[in-house]
């Protein structure tokens, strides 16, 4: 993958504790800013409702391109100290690490929430932790920053869990935990209602690129209308 403008290429970063080098904090001190966990399924199993958006041979590349654009925008967010990319995919892991994310391998079985819990345990000392879906190819760093700052305002000095619903209002694009609150992810069908029922506070703001997750070809068209990142745009130009 080509290196984004203005960002030096870095060697893959892997979570410590497995005989590998300690990852480097991108900016600031761990716990001072946000640690964001982004789970990515194995590419052949991801986005089963998306086929048809690109030729079948390019489906896995599209899934990876969207994840790369999501992570790139998150790394560009001034409020974010570190991004943990949780995946066991042999292509996605190194590609995400090359952007500056910390690759967290050995994803447990049990789906998205188990993967998020696995990533959260790798950031146990973080005072500001968030989970972000990996299918936000139009994400703007400024919108993510506004949502994270909104969560801080709601929290004040106490613990808080908060979420941002997706464009449909039923799913969840972002889940945040502050002040020692557990992440306690409830992603899945009707996850916005599940997060609300679990005590998380709904965050409201005009954040169309943060809310625009992509599950279907129609979702992808909506993301393209907002303006997708360079990885997704480059791939779609090949259609």
């Amino acid at each position: 993958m080509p290196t984004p403008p203005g960002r030096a290429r870095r060697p893959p970063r892997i979570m410590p504790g497995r005989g590998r080098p300690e990852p480097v904090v991108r900016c600031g001190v761990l716990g001072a800013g946000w640690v964001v966990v982004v789970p990515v399924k194995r590419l052949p199993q991801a986005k089963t409702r998306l086929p048809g958006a690109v030729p079948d041979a390019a489906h896995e590349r599209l899934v990876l391109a969207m994840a790369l654009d999501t992570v790139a925008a998150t790394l560009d967010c001034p409020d974010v100290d570190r991004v943990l990319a949780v995946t066991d995919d042999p292509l996605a892991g190194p590609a995400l690490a090359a952007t500056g994310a910390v690759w967290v391998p050995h994803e447990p079985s049990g789906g998205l929430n188990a993967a998020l819990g696995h990533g959260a345990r790798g950031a146990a000392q973080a005072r500001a932790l968030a989970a972000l879906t990996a299918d936000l190819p139009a994400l703007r760093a400024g919108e993510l920053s506004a949502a994270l700052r909104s969560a801080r305002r709601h929290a004040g000095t106490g613990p808080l869990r908060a979420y941002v619903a997706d464009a449909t209002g039923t799913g969840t694009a972002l889940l945040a935990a502050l002040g020692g609150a557990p992440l306690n992810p409830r992603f899945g069908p009707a996850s916005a209602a599940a997060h609300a029922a679990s005590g998380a506070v709904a965050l409201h703001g005009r954040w169309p690129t943060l809310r625009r997750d992509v599950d279907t070809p129609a979702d992808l068209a909506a993301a393209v209308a907002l303006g997708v990142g360079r990885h997704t745009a480059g791939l779609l130009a090949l259609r």
Side-chain angles (χ1 to χ4, degrees):
M1 293 289 174
T3 303
R7 190 189 300 279
R9 181 171 293 281
R10 304 170 182 175
R13 297 176 179 178
I14 304 174
M15 280 298 297
R18 301 183 179 92
R20 295 173 175 133
E22 174 76 21
V24 179
V25 178
R26 177 176 176 266
C27 62
V29 178
L30 182 61
W34 289 86
V35 176
V36 180
V37 183
V38 180
V40 180
K41 282 185 179 181
R42 283 184 172 266
L43 300 180
Q45 285 81 50
K47 295 297 164 190
T48 56
R49 289 187 286 160
L50 197 53
V54 292
D56 290 347
H59 175 78
E60 293 178 25
R61 292 166 58 201
L62 174 60
V63 175
L64 177 56
M66 293 194 300
L68 289 168
D69 284 331
T70 301
V71 167
T74 305
L75 285 168
D76 282 342
C77 176
D79 301 87
V80 173
D81 281 352
R82 183 182 293 183
V83 176
L84 306 183
V86 182
T87 185
D88 262 350
D89 189 87
L91 178 61
L96 291 163
T99 69
V102 178
W103 175 19
V104 184
H106 306 299
E107 180 182 344
S109 60
L112 182 59
N113 293 317
L116 287 168
H118 180 55
R121 286 189 291 275
Q125 296 180 353
R127 295 290 293 174
L129 181 64
L132 192 67
T133 58
D135 57 352
L136 303 171
L139 180 63
R140 301 290 189 272
E143 290 189 16
L144 178 58
S145 177
L148 296 176
R149 293 181 185 189
S150 176
R152 284 198 185 274
R153 287 194 297 271
H154 278 79
T157 59
L160 176 88
R161 289 171 63 248
Y163 70 96
V164 175
D166 66 8
T168 68
T170 60
T172 303
L174 173 73
L175 176 66
L178 282 157
L183 189 61
N184 191 16
R186 304 292 181 90
F187 287 85
S191 63
H195 284 127
S198 71
V201 174
L203 301 177
H204 301 286
R206 191 177 179 278
W207 308 315
T209 71
L210 173 58
R211 298 182 189 275
R212 183 67 278 165
D213 58 344
V214 173
D215 289 316
T216 67
D219 295 338
L220 181 59
V224 169
L226 290 170
V228 293
R230 68 180 187 86
H231 296 94
T232 306
L235 182 63
L236 294 178
L238 301 176
R239 287 189 296 183

